Amino acid sequence: MYKILSRTRGVKLVEFYNDNNFHVILSNYGASIYEIDMPDKNGNLECITLTPQMGYYFNNNKCMGLTVGRVAGRIKDATFTINDKTYNIKPNEHGKNLLHSGDQGFQNKLFDFDIKDEKEYTKVIYSLFVKDLEDGFPGDLEFRATYTLYKNENIISLDYQAVSSKDTLLNITNHSYFNMSGNLKRNILDEYLTINKSYIGLMNQDSILEKLQAVPKEFDFRKEKQIGLDFRSEKVIVPALGYDHYFADSKPTVVNLYDKVSGRNLEVTSDYNDVVIYTNNYVSNTIFINGVVDSPQIAVAIEPCRMTKVLTPDGIVQGAHKLYNYNITYKFTIKEE
């Protein structure tokens, strides 16, 4: 069951309930996941995402729930070269680098959308056309983000498809933050994380990816581990004040986030080979829908992407007229000890 809600500044929310009392709200602002509510092991329905009050929703530099593109991550000196032509975009981080494509990124745009309601699922299809150099990047770009919401399972499947008229840069992700305790009752340091990755990206002081290395123990989540176990080690908190790292491998991504108290479990799978884990180390003045104020480690962002391609000769260049096509799937379950 779904309905469309109108909000300020052209925002249209699509509110969806399935047969399991699983509740999702999507938004045409940034083609985003605005809110997810799920029952705990005792049936208590609570919010498990960072969902800002509407007054804090626009142009938030934390990109809560938003689709980030054309390029998620950082571009050194806000400059890149394609086919011997250099492009410069206004930097938005420390007056130097470009983070998450800057002010003209997908996350700050209103998308068109269509809804297809079928027997077993509802599809919400967001579409956006970006003109050549409108956002600083080359190529007219046709982009579509399709959310499939299932009526009998607590699953959100997210498909990205894009085609550019010129060679361009593409690395698109969803930037949702999760806290499985429900209504932000606790921070995420007591939650358990599993990541099927054997390498992390080493970054310089400006958080620019420089190379990969085998995961040291502080970053090894190949077996389920409490997020807070190694959190205060110097390797983790310098320079990023917590986890804000690329986890990489040559296989599709599988990340699991589990809260033992509530029993809530999230499995994120993707055909992206890389994933950024960010533990909300820097805070804003945002107030969330349950009245909680932003604070360190209040949630964790799980961002599947293809960032390690920047270390290859072609980088994250997407060829003209070639289909960019990736999936991210979120599966929510209750796990009993």
Side-chain angles (χ1 to χ4, degrees):
M1 180 181 70
Y2 78 89
K3 60 183 176 181
I4 299 175
L5 309 172
S6 295
R7 293 294 183 265
T8 184
R9 296 172 63 173
V11 169
K12 300 287 187 180
L13 304 179
V14 179
E15 184 177 38
F16 172 85
Y17 276 99
N18 74 4
D19 297 338
N20 304 320
N21 202 27
F22 181 64
H23 180 224
V24 179
I25 300 179
L26 305 179
S27 172
N28 65 329
Y29 180 71
S32 61
I33 298 173
Y34 180 66
E35 180 179 350
I36 301 175
D37 304 280
M38 72 172 291
D40 66 6
K41 61 185 179 183
N42 298 314
N44 299 308
L45 185 67
E46 295 174 313
C47 182
I48 58 168
T49 50
L50 286 191
T51 302
Q53 294 180 3
M54 196 57 63
Y56 297 90
Y57 185 40
F58 302 97
N59 296 308
N60 76 80
N61 59 10
K62 298 171 76 86
C63 297
M64 288 174 279
L66 302 173
T67 297
V68 178
R70 297 185 192 194
V71 177
R74 292 172 175 85
I75 296 178
K76 183 180 180 181
D77 298 326
T79 299
F80 60 93
T81 300
I82 298 179
N83 299 330
D84 298 323
K85 183 175 180 178
T86 297
Y87 299 85
N88 298 285
I89 302 178
K90 182 181 178 181
N92 66 329
E93 187 182 52
H94 308 310
K96 181 178 181 182
N97 299 317
L98 186 70
L99 175 63
H100 294 330
S101 302
D103 294 340
Q104 297 302 311
F106 295 173
Q107 61 272 21
N108 295 319
K109 296 182 181 295
L110 286 174
F111 283 65
D112 295 324
F113 68 97
D114 292 306
I115 299 176
K116 294 183 179 180
D117 193 33
E118 304 290 346
K119 182 178 179 180
E120 296 182 353
Y121 57 79
T122 298
K123 285 184 181 286
V124 184
I125 305 161
Y126 292 104
S127 58
L128 181 71
F129 178 76
V130 184
K131 294 181 180 179
D132 180 34
L133 299 180
E134 175 186 336
D135 54 357
F137 294 89
D140 291 339
L141 186 77
E142 296 182 47
F143 172 63
R144 184 168 63 190
T146 301
Y147 290 91
T148 303
L149 309 172
Y150 290 87
K151 296 181 179 180
N152 294 312
E153 296 182 276
N154 298 347
I155 293 175
I156 303 170
S157 183
L158 173 53
D159 291 290
Y160 293 138
Q161 293 182 319
V163 176
S164 173
S165 65
K166 296 179 180 179
D167 291 355
T168 193
L169 301 186
L170 286 182
N171 182 38
I172 303 165
T173 194
N174 180 275
H175 208 291
S176 289
Y177 294 75
F178 298 95
N179 181 321
M180 306 306 283
S181 71
N183 290 344
L184 306 177
K185 289 194 294 295
R186 302 179 299 277
N187 68 32
I188 47 85
L189 294 182
D190 289 335
E191 296 187 9
Y192 288 79
L193 186 65
T194 311
I195 310 171
N196 70 329
K197 302 300 174 187
S198 302
Y199 299 91
I200 63 163
L202 288 184
M203 295 171 288
N204 62 23
Q205 290 295 314
D206 291 327
S207 296
I208 300 296
L209 181 64
E210 293 188 330
K211 63 180 180 179
L212 298 181
Q213 75 163 34
V215 288
K217 74 174 187 68
E218 293 88 353
F219 296 84
D220 192 351
F221 288 92
R222 287 173 292 181
K223 294 183 179 179
E224 184 180 76
K225 183 172 74 172
Q226 206 166 28
I227 295 173
L229 183 62
D230 296 309
F231 189 84
R232 300 301 175 191
S233 71
E234 185 175 352
K235 288 184 179 179
V236 174
I237 63 172
V238 178
L241 303 182
Y243 292 109
D244 187 9
H245 296 79
Y246 299 100
F247 290 75
D249 218 319
S250 59
K251 54 182 178 287
T253 291
V254 181
V255 176
N256 206 82
L257 181 65
Y258 173 50
D259 179 64
K260 290 189 175 182
V261 178
S262 70
R264 294 186 181 97
N265 187 76
L266 166 61
E267 182 184 66
V268 181
T269 57
S270 177
D271 47 9
Y272 283 124
N273 290 342
D274 310 327
V275 61
V276 174
I277 301 296
Y278 173 55
T279 49
N280 198 56
N281 308 317
Y282 298 91
V283 300
S284 64
N285 64 347
T286 303
I287 301 175
F288 303 109
I289 57 170
N290 44 30
V292 176
V293 180
D294 194 18
S295 63
Q297 291 78 59
I298 200 170
V300 56
I302 301 171
E303 310 161 48
C305 60
R306 60 174 192 164
M307 195 59 200
T308 56
K309 282 182 66 65
V310 302
L311 302 176
T312 66
D314 292 332
I316 53 174
V317 173
Q318 181 73 16
H321 309 295
K322 293 184 178 179
L323 179 65
Y324 183 97
N325 189 17
Y326 286 93
N327 171 269
I328 304 171
T329 295
Y330 306 92
K331 183 176 182 179
F332 302 86
T333 57
I334 294 297
K335 189 165 74 172
E336 300 279 2
E337 286 294 311

